[in-house]
Amino acid sequence: MAFASRPSPPAPSRPWSCASPCAGSTPRPFLGPRGIDPALLADDEARIRDLLGETQSDVAGRLLLDPTLSVAEIAALLGFSEVAAFHRSLKRWTGFTPKQYRVERRGAVPSGLASP
């Protein structure tokens, strides 16, 4: 039994594009003739790094309010390979070291741990 061959799909008129989720935005070229556009990739990487930093900062603040967690445990939970790297990042984000942050925020209850 012979299978009928299907016609191949038409070639795209432009390279693949990545559209922003914003309404009314126009798609921007993602792949060029030589692969991924490095400038666009750098923009995306910067946005991802910023988002990761904001998220880590927020979660670090909440975890530091839990006195049962050590700074080393918090650093590991946030994906830091060393406590010193977490220490520097927290200082950059908040202006406080982990110990200073805990002293300044003593008495504050993290939203996830508040009793009803």
Side-chain angles (χ1 to χ4, degrees):
M1 174 194 278
F3 291 98
S5 65
R6 285 191 221 169
S8 57
S13 59
R14 61 188 169 97
W16 291 96
S17 63
C18 177
S20 171
C22 300
S25 66
T26 57
R28 56 186 184 151
F30 188 67
L31 287 176
R34 295 186 183 203
I36 296 175
D37 182 354
L40 295 177
L41 187 58
D43 290 345
D44 290 342
E45 286 176 354
R47 281 193 293 272
I48 290 169
R49 271 193 307 275
D50 291 345
L51 182 60
L52 177 63
E54 289 172 20
T55 304
Q56 285 177 319
S57 173
D58 183 49
V59 173
R62 291 180 185 165
L63 292 176
L64 283 166
L65 296 179
D66 183 352
T68 63
L69 292 173
S70 71
V71 174
E73 289 171 319
I74 294 170
L77 286 170
L78 292 173
F80 288 90
S81 58
E82 296 184 16
V83 176
F86 169 65
H87 204 276
R88 285 189 304 272
S89 292
L90 186 70
K91 182 83 171 173
R92 186 178 68 247
W93 296 328
T94 66
F96 297 109
T97 65
K99 183 176 181 178
Q100 291 170 334
Y101 188 89
R102 282 182 160 167
V103 168
E104 287 291 319
R105 300 291 306 251
R106 186 174 288 146
V109 178
S111 59
L113 300 177
S115 56

